[in-house]
């Protein structure tokens, strides 16, 4: 016998009882939820938010005194938890942003996982992260990749702590239910050499014949601040304008350094407000140097060195620097592009500012914010 529509009994109940019967059978009527499910434009639960360096750093330092690095916790990391995401430790629905603190002469043990990570160094010196045997030195302004399923441990040889920004695709991989994790059999993995990945790219456009390369991510694991600086200067000389932006790419493919999110650097020059743009997907911005403000959906976010903020999907965003400023950013754009979901547009009119973000409290209205000012 096949599937028979006549064989089953009919239900004769009123509408309220009918709705109850649906719920009891784990069914939901689309007609009640269609507008929520498919709004005309993205209505993100990710909220525009900002974490001040001055609020986070003292707590990271205190964590340095209270927490030791042992198997289990593995890392001294403070996740930037978006208040829109119901207590999840995620900065947006796709991106993990965090500050990691590694004390003098400490090591964080070796492990690997399917989430890809990047480190953008904020302060400190004399630290290296070993990535599959390649000891990558970390200095302020450097970007270090620890891509999908690569063994990694962090080691501080100096007398000073180091603080860096961690960006991961962990929320995305949580949704995709594809997270695997493994501890290395030893506390630290063996080191094969120092900055080996850079040696493979000693000349622009030159590469050892037949050199093997990973397919899932960039073969270059360390992007030095000096190279970023040179490229930003060259871009500014060529283009001028209030904003120059670069992307950290896989030198072999021109694609993103890791496949699941983009790494970018934006240099803002003072005196001009950038045009308002919106795009699908979220971004996490890390202020490396300089100060300024960004307006996100009409709310003003003031920032300075070490501050971190997140822009939700389809939010109107513009920036203005008070002094020359460098914003490092990660974004889920590569995923949206691969799925043909990426859209961006520039608004013809600038945004009016309707309120100011108050750190720790969130957005307040213009009237409230003036009352709160002291
Ligand atoms: O340094 O290996 O922020 O595994 C989250 C998970 C950092 C790390 C994070 C991690 C790491
Ligand atoms: Fe890790």
């Amino acid at each position: 016998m096949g599937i028979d529509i006549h064989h089953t009994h009919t239900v004769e109940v009123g509408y309220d009882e009918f709705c109850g019967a649906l719920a009891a059978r784990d069914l939901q009527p689309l007609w009640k939820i269609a507008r929520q499910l498919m709004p005309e434009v993205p209505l993100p639960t990710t909220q525009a938010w900002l974490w001040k360096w001055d609020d986070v750093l003292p707590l990271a330092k205190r964590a340095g005194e209270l927490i030791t690095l042992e198997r289990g916790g593995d890392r001294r990391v403070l996740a930037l938890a978006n208040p829109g995401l119901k207590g999840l430790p995620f900065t947006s629905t796709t991106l993990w942003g965090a500050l990691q603190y590694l004390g003098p002469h400490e090591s964080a043990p070796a492990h690997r996982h399917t989430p890809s990570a990047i480190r953008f160094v904020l302060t400190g010196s004399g630290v290296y992260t070993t990535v599959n045997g390649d000891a990558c030195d970390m200095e302020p302004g450097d970007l270090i990749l620890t891509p999908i399923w690569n063994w990694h441990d962090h080691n501080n040889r100096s007398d000073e702590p180091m603080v860096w920004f961690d960006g991961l695709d962990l929320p995305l991989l949580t949704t995709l239910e594809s997270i695997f994790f493994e501890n290395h059999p030893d506390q630290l993995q063996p080191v094969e050499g120092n900055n080996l990945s850079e040696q493979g790219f000693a000349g622009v456009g030159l590469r050892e014949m037949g050199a093997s390369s990973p397919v899932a991510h960039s073969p270059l694991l360390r992007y030095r601040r000096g190279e970023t600086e040179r490229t930003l200067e060259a871009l500014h000389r060529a283009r001028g304008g209030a904003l120059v932006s670069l992307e950290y790419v896989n030198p072999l493919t021109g694609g993103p350094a890791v496949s699941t999110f983009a790494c970018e650097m934006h240099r803002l020059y003072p005196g001009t407000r950038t045009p308002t743009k919106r795009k699908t997907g979220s971004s996490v911005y890390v202020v490396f140097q300089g100060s300024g403000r960004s307006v996100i959906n009409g709310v003003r976010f003031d920032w300075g060195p070490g501050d971190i903020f997140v822009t939700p999907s389809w939010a109107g965003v513009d920036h203005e620097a008070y002094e020359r400023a460098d914003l490092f950013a990660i974004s889920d754009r590569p995923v949206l592009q691969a799925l043909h979901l990426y859209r961006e547009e520039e608004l013809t009119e600038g945004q009016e500012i309707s309120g100011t973000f108050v750190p720790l409290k969130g957005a307040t209205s213009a009237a409230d914010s003036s009352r709160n000012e002291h």
Side-chain angles (χ1 to χ4, degrees):
M1 203 189 85
I3 296 170
D4 179 10
I5 198 172
H6 302 292
H7 179 72
T8 51
H9 68 281
T10 55
V11 188
E12 291 187 13
V13 291
Y15 190 70
D16 289 348
E17 209 179 321
F18 162 80
C19 289
L22 290 178
R25 285 158 187 79
D26 304 302
L27 298 166
Q28 288 200 33
L30 174 62
W31 61 87
K32 279 190 160 184
I33 50 179
R35 283 272 64 81
Q36 272 162 269
L37 290 177
M38 293 201 215
E40 288 176 11
V41 296
L43 293 180
T45 48
T46 301
Q47 281 186 47
W49 207 260
L50 181 145
W51 292 261
K52 296 295 287 179
W53 175 253
D54 288 346
D55 287 329
V56 183
L57 185 67
L59 295 168
K61 277 188 183 159
R62 187 68 186 130
E65 295 159 352
L66 294 171
I67 306 296
T68 56
L69 294 177
E70 279 149 13
R71 283 289 180 207
D74 280 19
R75 302 290 186 262
R76 191 183 295 104
V77 166
L78 298 177
L80 306 171
N82 193 297
L85 302 179
K86 299 173 293 192
L88 286 169
F90 299 159
T91 316
S92 78
T93 44
T94 53
L95 300 170
W96 165 282
L99 282 183
Q100 182 159 170
Y101 183 97
L102 190 63
H105 305 285
E106 271 189 327
S107 284
H111 66 208
R112 64 178 175 181
H113 35 70
T114 48
S116 292
I118 60 88
R119 332 281 165 186
F120 184 77
V121 183
L122 298 174
T123 66
S125 189
V127 174
Y128 65 95
T129 288
T130 310
V131 188
N132 278 1
D134 183 358
C136 301
D137 288 318
M138 300 172 78
E139 295 296 326
D142 288 355
L143 177 74
I144 309 293
L145 312 184
T146 62
I148 176 170
W149 210 238
N150 280 237
W151 294 112
H152 54 285
D153 52 75
H154 312 299
N155 305 277
N156 188 347
R157 285 170 299 190
S158 82
D159 298 331
E160 295 298 320
M162 178 174 273
V163 182
W164 66 77
F165 170 78
D166 281 324
L168 283 86
D169 53 13
L170 180 58
L172 177 68
L173 271 68
T174 300
T175 301
L176 297 175
E177 298 182 333
S178 51
I179 294 181
F180 293 83
F181 175 95
E182 197 179 336
N183 276 324
H184 196 275
D186 304 316
Q187 187 76 4
L188 300 176
Q189 63 182 303
V191 172
E192 287 160 27
N194 291 293
N195 305 312
L196 296 175
S197 77
E198 290 176 278
Q199 291 168 23
F201 293 90
V204 175
L206 299 173
R207 180 103 165 118
E208 182 190 2
M209 247 173 98
S212 70
S213 305
V215 288
H217 57 83
S218 172
L220 190 59
L221 300 173
R222 178 182 184 203
Y223 294 72
R224 293 191 192 214
R225 176 188 186 178
E227 301 292 337
T228 311
E229 184 70 31
R230 262 191 290 284
T231 308
L232 288 170
E233 278 170 8
L235 276 172
H236 184 59
R237 269 196 306 277
R239 308 234 186 297
L243 170 68
V244 292
S245 299
L246 63 76
E247 181 175 357
Y248 297 82
V249 298
N250 176 334
L252 297 181
T253 65
V258 296
S259 18
T260 41
F261 57 96
C263 300
E264 307 161 351
M265 183 67 93
H266 305 277
R267 175 163 284 180
L268 289 157
Y269 295 84
T272 319
R273 204 168 152 184
T274 62
T276 304
K277 286 189 179 167
R278 57 185 174 206
K279 57 186 179 61
T280 48
S282 49
S283 290
V284 182
Y285 290 87
V286 183
V287 184
F288 181 55
Q289 51 191 5
S291 64
R293 67 151 196 228
S294 299
V295 181
I296 311 173
N297 281 340
V299 177
R300 173 185 160 161
F301 290 73
D302 291 286
W303 41 256
D307 294 352
I308 303 175
F309 61 95
V310 51
T311 60
S313 188
W314 214 237
V317 180
D318 70 75
H319 310 284
E320 182 178 351
Y322 303 143
E323 54 183 328
R324 200 188 79 182
D326 288 342
L327 302 183
F328 173 79
I330 57 170
S331 135
D332 52 16
R333 175 172 44 80
V335 179
L336 296 166
Q337 283 173 326
L339 302 176
H340 311 287
L341 288 167
Y342 187 68
R343 294 192 193 195
E344 65 177 16
E345 63 180 32
E346 190 172 307
L347 304 188
T348 47
E349 280 185 32
Q351 306 183 76
E352 277 187 29
I353 299 175
S354 60
T356 300
F357 179 84
V358 179
L360 309 176
K361 286 198 191 128
T364 59
S365 73
D368 282 338
S369 73
S370 60
R371 233 179 286 139
N372 286 349
E373 261 157 26
H374 36 251

